[in-house]
Amino acid sequence: MKKEKELQGAIEAILFTMGESVELNKIACAIEQDEDTTLELIHKLMKRYEAKDRGIRIIELDHAFQMCTKKEAYEYLIRVARQPKKHVLTDVLLETMSIIAYKQPVTKIEIEKIRGVKSDHAVNKLVEYGLAEEVGRLDAPGRPILFGTTEEFLRRFCVQSLDELPMLNTDQIEQFKEEAEDEAELKLNL
């Protein structure tokens, strides 16, 4: 049998990573032990976690086990959860956000055509941050999702409506188009 501490470490990793309850037979299979041995290892872990200085514990739920927070630690979790999250907007996110703001409703394909690179991650982050949202579907093959800005976008960028966004200089737009076309042509020639 592998070292007990090593197996308990593996069980901890499984329960922590899965986040939800994991059946005894799956844990046993993962650590290559029989169910009785696995159960004994889990019960030893459970006793170690019951110490007053521990913030987590392992609970048993119908022949499955789950790692969770001790109720004595809830007040600390609530304090952290109440703190506002600060989302950092990288240049990529700002670029993608500006495309959505000025071209909405816009599909990921249109965003990628403008940026010249895949934009899945950037769009998903903006949706996660509440700055962009699905506003419908394009009536075209595959029915791609259309994205637009949210009220949170207006709050975050201190504008009451999209009409307050700065006007784009048409000469500058043409210059950007030419630069993008030149860059695309260079990539094709390489």
Side-chain angles (χ1 to χ4, degrees), residues 2 34 42 49 73-74 77 82 88 109 120:
K2 293 180 182 176
D34 61 69
I42 293 171
Y49 281 120
Y74 286 174
L77 297 173
R82 283 187 182 154
V88 177
I109 293 170
D120 290 340

Side-chain angles (χ1 to χ4, degrees), residues 12-22 26-27 65-67:
E12 283 178 314
I14 291 166
L15 296 177
F16 176 78
T17 302
M18 298 310 292
E20 54 190 34
S21 65
V22 182
K26 288 183 179 179
I27 298 170
F65 296 87
Q66 182 174 0
M67 188 174 280

